[in-house]
Amino acid sequence: MAMYESEHTRFMREWLEKHPEQVEEQKKGRALWWDKPQDVSAQAKLRESAVPVKPYYYDTNH
């Protein structure tokens, strides 16, 4: 059974083969926007301080 490959995926794979310098640019962009160090204690504090949301936000009787 053949695996499906979209036109976009094929285009990107071929383009990156022709422009290998862009792989490094991709990594830089990812590090800039996504790969951030995580502060576990700060995340725990945020979770603990969260206020529970009412089941129906606009219900003023509860």
Side-chain angles (χ1 to χ4, degrees), residues 2-45:
M3 296 289 293
Y4 172 76
E5 184 176 59
S6 70
E7 290 180 24
H8 178 73
T9 301
R10 194 174 323 118
F11 167 77
M12 289 304 297
R13 185 174 39 80
E14 291 170 1
W15 193 82
L16 287 173
E17 286 174 3
K18 294 176 185 173
H19 302 91
E21 70 280 358
Q22 291 301 312
V23 174
E24 194 60 37
E25 287 295 317
Q26 270 186 324
K27 290 179 183 178
K28 287 179 187 176
R30 179 184 169 103
L32 178 67
W33 290 103
W34 298 105
D35 296 339
K36 302 289 183 187
Q38 301 297 312
D39 186 359
V40 179
S41 62
Q43 289 176 352
K45 287 178 185 177

